[in-house]
Amino acid sequence: MTRRTLIAGNWKMNGSVAALGFFDAVAPVAKEADADILICPPATLLAQAASACTGSEMRVGGQDCHAAVSGAHTGDVSAAMLREAGASHVILGHSERRADHGESDALVRAKAEAALQAGLVPVICVGESREEREAGRAIEVVASQLAASLPENPDRMTLVIAYEPVWAIGTGLTASVEDVAAMHEAIRERLPEPLTTCILYGGSVKPGNAKDLLSLDDVDGALVGGASLKSTDFSAIIEAAGRKSELVR
Ligand code: PGA
């Protein structure tokens, strides 16, 4: 099985019903793209975003889910609820959730298992802080996050990993292509199904740097924050992944 490129947008706590015209604007580019396209809007927009994608090549995902199937968890949503709203994927363990909500690797693993159970593809985020990179511990930190956040049951491993150095998120800074290549190779070596698991890079991906990052062997796509809010920027990133018509047959 070959890995297909995935270009995923993470709208974070941004967007409104008025922003859903984004899907019509991006649809023609998505149709031509040699990549799967995913948008993760806030949970309140998920069902409408899913309808806006009907008939297009785009899919929608959640930004988080609870580890439990249902119950007394005010303010949370379950993986099955995301699925019912039309999601195919769910981002888990994003560094903003790890920082703002104290999410541990063990919790991320529990959420990933809940997501798989509900038929969602978990997009599990890992990444080191600036201090950890400067101390030469980036690979060690990411390896330990991976070891503790991946689901236990490797036979049902349909998942995506997103390597997002924390210091590169929303800062305009990007890891060098050499550092990204080295980290993605290190991640791939540690995956239970290395050949089929998609590894995305995230952290200030923009139209200007997407092509260089996406051309790396072990980079199977991008998780895009800020630049996924503008249809023109996101379309340019999708185009950097190549067009179906450019495929050698
Ligand atoms: P950014 O965010 O592209 O704005 O840096 C990436 C992310 O947080 O997924």
Side-chain angles (χ1 to χ4, degrees):
M1 198 180 126
T2 51
R3 300 186 301 271
R4 212 171 131 67
T5 303
L6 173 64
I7 306 293
N10 173 10
W11 282 8
K12 308 189 179 184
M13 202 169 72
N14 296 295
S16 62
V17 173
L20 295 175
F22 175 97
F23 289 92
D24 280 345
V26 175
V29 180
K31 190 172 164 55
E32 285 304 310
D34 180 26
D36 291 329
I37 312 299
L38 176 73
I39 294 291
C40 301
T44 50
L45 292 178
L46 200 48
Q48 280 159 291
S51 332
C53 287
T54 311
S56 84
E57 313 287 312
M58 292 179 280
R59 289 189 285 175
V60 293
Q63 298 177 9
D64 176 50
C65 69
H66 197 279
V69 171
S70 62
H73 303 290
T74 303
D76 281 309
V77 291
S78 72
M81 290 169 181
L82 296 176
R83 185 95 183 92
E84 189 175 44
S88 56
H89 292 62
V90 59
I91 298 172
L92 295 173
H94 189 281
S95 69
E96 287 153 14
R97 295 217 49 97
R98 290 179 188 260
D100 296 354
H101 300 272
E103 293 197 2
S104 65
D105 290 331
L107 181 61
V108 175
R109 167 179 282 164
K111 290 181 174 198
E113 286 172 354
L116 287 170
Q117 198 67 42
L120 294 177
V121 177
V123 179
I124 300 177
C125 302
V126 291
E128 81 286 356
S129 65
R130 182 193 292 276
E131 298 71 40
E132 289 162 342
R133 174 151 294 271
E134 283 170 358
R137 296 183 50 235
I139 289 183
E140 176 199 327
V141 166
V142 166
S144 122
Q145 288 175 336
L146 274 180
S149 355
L150 293 192
E152 297 271 14
N153 34 2
D155 56 319
R156 292 188 306 115
M157 280 279 197
T158 306
L159 56 83
V160 173
I161 305 296
Y163 166 56
E164 300 203 302
V166 177
W167 49 270
I169 295 177
T171 58
L173 302 171
T174 343
S176 68
V177 282
E178 293 78 18
D179 286 345
V180 174
M183 181 62 86
H184 279 235
E185 195 186 330
I187 292 173
R188 177 124 14 242
E189 281 167 5
R190 288 166 174 81
L191 294 175
E193 294 194 29
L195 296 178
T196 56
T197 305
C198 252
I199 311 175
L200 312 182
Y201 170 78
S204 299
V205 176
K206 296 188 166 47
N209 60 22
K211 207 171 179 92
D212 286 347
L213 290 161
L214 292 171
S215 64
L216 297 172
D217 273 357
D218 280 311
V219 173
D220 306 313
L223 181 53
V224 185
S228 73
L229 295 171
K230 276 178 72 183
S231 59
T232 45
D233 284 355
F234 194 64
S235 297
I237 293 170
I238 295 172
E239 285 187 323
R243 292 175 178 225
K244 281 183 192 132
S245 54
E246 286 165 3
L247 290 180
V248 181
R249 290 176 201 282

